[in-house]
Structure formats: structure tokens, C-alpha cells
Amino acid sequence: MDTRQWRDTIAAAQDGDRRALDELVEGWLPLVYNIVGRALNGHADVDDVVQETMLRAVDNLGSLRDPDSFRSWLVAIAMRQIRDRARRRTPAPLDESATGGAADFAELTVLRLQLEGQRREVAEAVRWLDDEDRQLLSLWWLEVAGELTRRELAAAVGISRQHAAVRVQRMKERLETSRGIVRALDGACPGLRELTARWNGRPDSVWRKRLARHIRGCGYCGDTRESVVPPERLLVGIALVPVPVGFTLSLALGGKTAAAATATVASVSWSAKVMSALTQPVVAATAGATIVAGGAYVVTQTPDAPPPRVAVSPTAASTHRPPPVVDTPSVSPSPSPSPSPSPSVTPTRTARYGSVVDAVDRAPDPDTPPAALPHRPETGVTSTGGAHAVMNHRGDSVTLTGKGYVLVRWQISPQYRAGGLVMPSWTGLRGELFHVASGGGRRMDDPVSATDSTATGMGSATIGYTVLPAGTQQMWQNEYFYLDGSVTLTVNERGADYGLSVFPSSWDAAEKDITTGPDQGVKRYGLVRDTGKDDTPVPQYLTRSTPADAATVAQESRVSAP
């Protein structure tokens, strides 16, 4: 963002032009939100620190003598508020559970900007940095993305440019160490599995050092087959993470002015907090209205309602099948299956929820556009595993609760252990769960090598293949589900090695993923299975019961309406 383009707006705001001040706050809020959000990694205090930063900026705008220095001045205010927050709190690592189930900023960056490959790796590595490094990285990230200059970075931290260069270099070294940890955790090193068996899944400095020591001495984890691109090359020109929908600034300025900006990406925790604030007696607001209450002006802007999207049947390639005529579930590949009750089903256009189960389909032709993804109501999903649950071992599970979208990302590791795969299962369902879309740019049985024609995401002739149970739906890299209620997802690993990453997601992220795919290595578009009705398929291996062994869930358990 070039301050020179804002010179007239800044001058008008200093002269008391309310519209100019509102425009100024709305235009620069994303920059402040990205700095604070990344420095605090999405902690619950982010919105408070952003609020205080913008309040101080607006309240002291008259003291700014040079409009061209507005950006560095604003960034310095943001960094002071971040440091003030740290001084007010007892020195302790950020407890990511304090986000109230919301995605941390690393995950918001991945999902909202649809980062893949090494760009995703850099974003996730931020979790492993200490607070001081994370604060510096929040500025350096914007510097290499073209949003800040080195002079502005140094001024915001309060050091010389020479000292800033040393600090940035040291931070980058720790970031590279953290990237190695992220890369290793996505692998299948047996030694690392044993080491992390005692880890609670939350990144901290102690485990960063333990894992770094293991990686340095491990031939498996240290074998980087893909060339590692420097982070500055990965981050050049990357966009700012959008501000969440409903993020509202309520600036009490003694009747001067106030502004609120609303972006286009859903975020449950901020929206809930905003709605709570707006229902207090002192402040009330309706969409698009400006209300004076106790000297505070609150402006809220509700995003334009999306155009109605007709529930379109999936593409022919998805082969969404009609409700089955028979009600006998398929035989489970797991021992001692315990199928759910199977109500009789009559093929109708309005099938009862749970009577249509995922069917084996053929892969669509490359670059076949998917059908439209119906937009179901979403208030957000919380996860007992946090914003990014990584499940690598048999029995690992996560319970999801709420109304919204969930992304399950597959990590198949035939190089470690190929053979028969026991599918994960969904148990203890309360409410409804649909399988709505598949994305990630490829199915796991797509070719992955230009030199080995036998190699796919499921293995190769050399190392062997991961084999699905007969009749099981072939998974894609990313699988999207819609939940209205609660359910537990469990890894039932026996035989073939695999892992799952589970993210509370959003319609926006799912729709973008399935329609565009990753920037590199696109094999095809995604696939939509959601009809927008109750006859949208439910996942295979789904039950309302809670068996002692989740691997005993039948392959096509029927789930009657709640």
C-alpha cells in the first residue's frame, strides 16, 4: 500500500472530513490486522489490539505532520500496542487453546490465501517461533510481500537498519529450522513417530529444540528430496490475509468519527465476539446503519448476500448415485463390524437424510469444471484438536462441533508402509454430516511422477501401493464435509500408513479450492457432491453409535434422521 496514493485522503481526514477518515481506517485495517494477527498468531487478543491501534491512530492523526510517513507511523503504533500487551500479561507462551476454537493465524493464512507446497510450509512454521521472532516476522513477511520497506520495519521495531538486518537474519534461521520440523512432521519417519508420541501437538520452544536435534541426526528426516526455496522468494507479492466477516471497529472518539471494515471471509470467533458486543445496551446496530451510543459511532457493513445458487446436480464425472433400493450395508473390511440400523429406502427425489452413501466414482477428465457448491448455513465449527489437528497414529481422534465446513487433508505414506488401508471412521454423530466436495487439485490415485509411470499418490510399483477396501470411495487430497451437530473422526490405521490433518474451514475456502486448485501441479478441478438437499451423500464409515473400536464401523452404515 503506497502512502502517496492516500495523501489527499489523509489530509482531508486531518481536516475533519468524516468520510475520508472512514475510508482511511477501512483501507488500512487489513495491514494492521495482518501485523497484529501474525505477531499474536490469531490469539483471542488480536481484535482488541487491532481496535486499540486504530483508535490511537485516529485519535492522534492530527499530530502527523508528513502524510507520506503515515504507513510507518501506523505500523509503529501497532507494534507498540503488541509490546504493551506483552508487558501487561504474565510472560508465558501463547496458549493456542485461548483462541476459543478459532483457526490460528497460520491456518487462516493457509486457508484464506489457499497456500500450497512450500508457501504453506512457511506459514505453518510460524507456529514454532517465539513471541519476539513472531513479532519481527509479522513485519518482515509484509516487507518481502511489498507492503513495507526495511526502513519502516526498523523504525517500527525501534532499531537501526543495520541491527534490523542482523535480527531478521537470526529470525530467518529459526524459521528455516521450523520449516524443517513442519516438513518432517508431514513425513513418516518411525523415529519421529516414537519421539512425538509424548507430544501434546502444541508447538513450543522446548519441542522445537527436541525435534530439531532429531532432524539434524536423522538421515530420513534430513533427506530433502525437494529443493528448498528461500522464504523471501515464496512470499514476494503474496496478498494480505482478508479481515474476517463481522470484524467491527467501535471507536469512541467523543463525537469525532469512527469506522468499521468488513471483509469477505468468515471467522466464527470474531463474529461471535462482535455480535456479543453489539447486543449490549450501550451499543446497538443494524446492517448498514450508523448509530450514536454513549459517544461512540459504530458502522457495520454486512457483506452483500451471495447470489442465489441453484442446487445443481454434480457433474457427470461425480456419478452421484440415487438412493439405494436395498438396505443391506456392505460388508466391512474391519473385524467384527457393527452396522447401524438400515431403514428401508424407496428411490425418490427427496431421499431421507443418510440413505445415500458415498459411491465409488470415476475421476473426472482433467480440468473439468465442477458443479456449483451450494452454500449451506455456517456459524462455524470448533475442534478438540484446535485449528489444525494432525492425526498420524491408530486411535487418534478429534471431535468436531458446530455448523459449517470441515476440511480433511490426506497424507498417504506408502514409502514407509504400503498394503491394505483401514479407513478412518465418523462415530457418535449427533445431527447431520454430509460429504460435500473434494479438492486439493488431485485425487490420490493421480500420477505424481514424470519419470515413473507407475507412481501415484497411493504408491508405485517399486515401493508398493496403499490399497483401499473394496467398494471404498477413492479420496482426493482435500475432502470437504458439512457438519450440523457433532461427530468424532478417528484414525484406524492398520497395515498401510496414513495421516489426516483436520481443519475447521468455510464455504469460501472450499469453493476456491475446488474451482481453482493449487497454482502448481493442477491435475483437474475439484468435484462437488452436494446437491443442497438431504440426498447429498453421507461419508462411508459413518455411524451414530460409539463403538469401543472405531474400526468396526460398517462401510455403508445408514444414519437415519436425528
Side-chain angles (χ1 to χ4, degrees):
M1 298 177 67
D2 191 345
T3 304
R4 290 173 296 181
Q5 299 175 357
W6 289 83
R7 184 178 297 149
D8 293 342
T9 304
I10 294 170
Q14 288 179 316
D15 290 339
D17 185 328
R18 174 174 171 175
R19 180 174 297 179
L21 186 54
D22 286 350
E23 181 182 348
L24 188 65
V25 172
E26 182 173 356
W28 288 88
L29 176 62
L31 182 71
V32 173
Y33 169 73
N34 275 257
I35 291 172
V36 177
R38 191 161 284 116
L40 303 184
N41 197 30
H43 191 274
D45 287 349
V46 166
D47 49 356
D48 293 333
V49 175
V50 172
Q51 173 96 7
E52 186 65 22
T53 297
M54 301 308 292
L55 174 60
R56 290 180 179 272
V58 172
D59 206 24
N60 293 282
L61 187 60
S63 65
L64 179 66
R65 295 185 178 181
D66 180 9
D68 288 344
S69 65
F70 176 80
R71 181 168 64 181
S72 58
W73 176 77
L74 180 62
V75 171
I77 293 176
M79 295 307 295
R80 281 198 298 271
Q81 296 310 309
I82 293 168
R83 290 192 290 266
D84 286 348
R85 168 202 172 272
R87 283 193 291 268
R88 291 194 300 266
R89 299 173 63 88
T90 56
L94 284 181
D95 180 1
E96 301 201 5
S97 65
T99 60
D104 63 9
F105 205 84
E107 195 51 45
L108 295 179
T109 302
V110 169
L111 290 177
R112 295 180 183 175
L113 300 182
Q114 288 294 292
L115 302 186
E116 288 289 343
Q118 293 192 34
R119 284 189 175 90
R120 180 190 186 102
E121 180 184 276
V122 171
E124 293 181 343
V126 175
R127 295 192 182 98
W128 290 93
L129 297 180
D130 295 332
D131 291 354
E132 186 173 299
D133 280 339
R134 192 184 291 123
Q135 291 173 20
L136 181 61
L137 180 132
S138 71
L139 300 176
W140 179 75
W141 183 299
L142 295 177
E143 178 192 352
V144 297
E147 298 289 343
L148 292 179
T149 66
R150 175 55 61 89
R151 179 182 61 82
E152 290 169 331
L153 181 151
V157 181
I159 56 179
S160 67
R161 294 183 62 179
Q162 292 76 10
H163 189 192
V166 174
R167 288 273 309 276
V168 166
Q169 183 58 36
R170 291 174 179 170
M171 179 272 296
K172 286 170 58 179
E173 292 172 358
R174 285 184 281 269
L175 180 64
E176 284 302 317
T177 298
S178 301
R179 288 180 68 186
I181 292 173
V182 172
R183 196 177 310 119
L185 289 174
D186 279 341
C189 172
L192 192 63
R193 282 173 171 269
E194 182 178 351
L195 176 63
T196 56
R198 305 185 305 276
W199 179 41
N200 65 6
R202 293 180 182 171
D204 58 40
S205 58
V206 174
W207 275 99
R208 184 184 69 210
K209 294 174 183 177
R210 289 178 182 173
L211 296 176
R213 281 197 301 269
H214 168 84
I215 293 169
R216 284 195 298 269
C218 178
Y220 191 103
C221 294
D223 180 18
T224 304
R225 300 180 183 181
E226 181 182 9
S227 60
V228 179
V229 180
E232 48 266 58
R233 285 178 53 191
L234 296 171
L235 304 180
V236 169
I238 199 168
L240 295 174
V241 175
V243 185
V245 164
F247 187 103
T248 303
L249 293 177
S250 175
L251 309 181
L253 304 170
K256 187 183 297 183
T257 190
T262 303
T264 57
V265 181
S267 176
V268 179
S269 61
W270 279 291
S271 298
K273 189 164 186 175
V274 170
M275 290 306 298
S276 175
L278 295 180
T279 55
Q280 299 301 315
V282 71
V283 179
T286 56
T290 304
I291 297 177
V292 181
Y297 288 72
V298 181
V299 179
T300 63
Q301 296 174 338
T302 302
D304 295 335
R309 304 189 73 168
V310 180
V312 180
S313 298
T315 58
S318 74
T319 63
H320 171 70
R321 68 180 182 181
V325 178
V326 296
D327 59 347
T328 303
S330 301
V331 177
S332 169
S334 306
S336 305
S338 53
S340 302
S342 305
S344 297
V345 177
T346 301
T348 63
R349 297 185 64 184
T350 56
R352 187 180 186 186
Y353 168 72
S355 63
V356 182
V357 184
D358 265 342
V360 177
D361 56 33
R362 69 177 179 85
D365 294 330
D367 299 325
T368 301
L373 178 65
H375 194 167
R376 294 179 181 267
E378 53 182 323
T379 56
V381 174
T382 59
S383 167
T384 56
H388 179 184
V390 179
M391 302 190 292
N392 289 316
H393 308 292
R394 173 174 168 77
D396 287 351
S397 66
V398 62
T399 298
L400 304 159
T401 305
K403 179 185 290 187
Y405 293 84
V406 175
L407 163 60
V408 177
R409 184 175 178 86
W410 281 85
Q411 178 69 42
I412 303 291
S413 303
Q415 72 274 18
Y416 175 56
R417 191 171 63 247
L421 184 148
V422 179
M423 293 293 289
S425 57
W426 304 85
T427 64
L429 174 64
R430 300 292 181 268
E432 297 181 335
L433 178 70
F434 299 104
H435 184 190
V436 295
S438 300
R442 65 185 179 94
R443 287 196 357 165
M444 297 303 290
D445 59 350
D446 281 337
V448 296
S449 173
T451 57
D452 184 355
S453 61
T454 72
T456 74
M458 302 294 284
S460 71
T462 303
I463 62 176
Y465 291 94
T466 296
V467 182
L468 299 179
T472 297
Q473 173 67 50
Q474 173 66 57
M475 78 286 292
W476 292 51
Q477 180 78 73
N478 292 344
E479 296 289 357
Y480 288 93
F481 302 87
Y482 177 81
L483 173 66
D484 185 359
S486 65
V487 71
T488 298
L489 176 62
T490 303
V491 170
N492 298 313
E493 183 181 271
R494 286 177 183 166
D497 180 86
Y498 71 96
L500 301 177
S501 294
V502 183
F503 313 84
S505 188
S506 66
W507 179 90
D508 298 274
E511 194 271 343
K512 185 173 182 179
D513 182 359
I514 64 177
T515 55
T516 61
D519 292 337
Q520 301 296 327
V522 175
K523 297 295 182 182
R524 59 173 59 89
Y525 288 98
L527 190 65
V528 171
R529 294 185 168 88
D530 193 357
T531 67
K533 302 177 182 179
D534 266 3
D535 60 357
T536 293
V538 301
Q540 294 178 326
Y541 305 98
L542 170 66
T543 179
R544 293 188 181 279
S545 66
T546 307
D549 181 359
T552 62
V553 175
Q555 186 180 100
E556 293 189 2
S557 297
R558 303 293 188 263
V559 285
S560 59

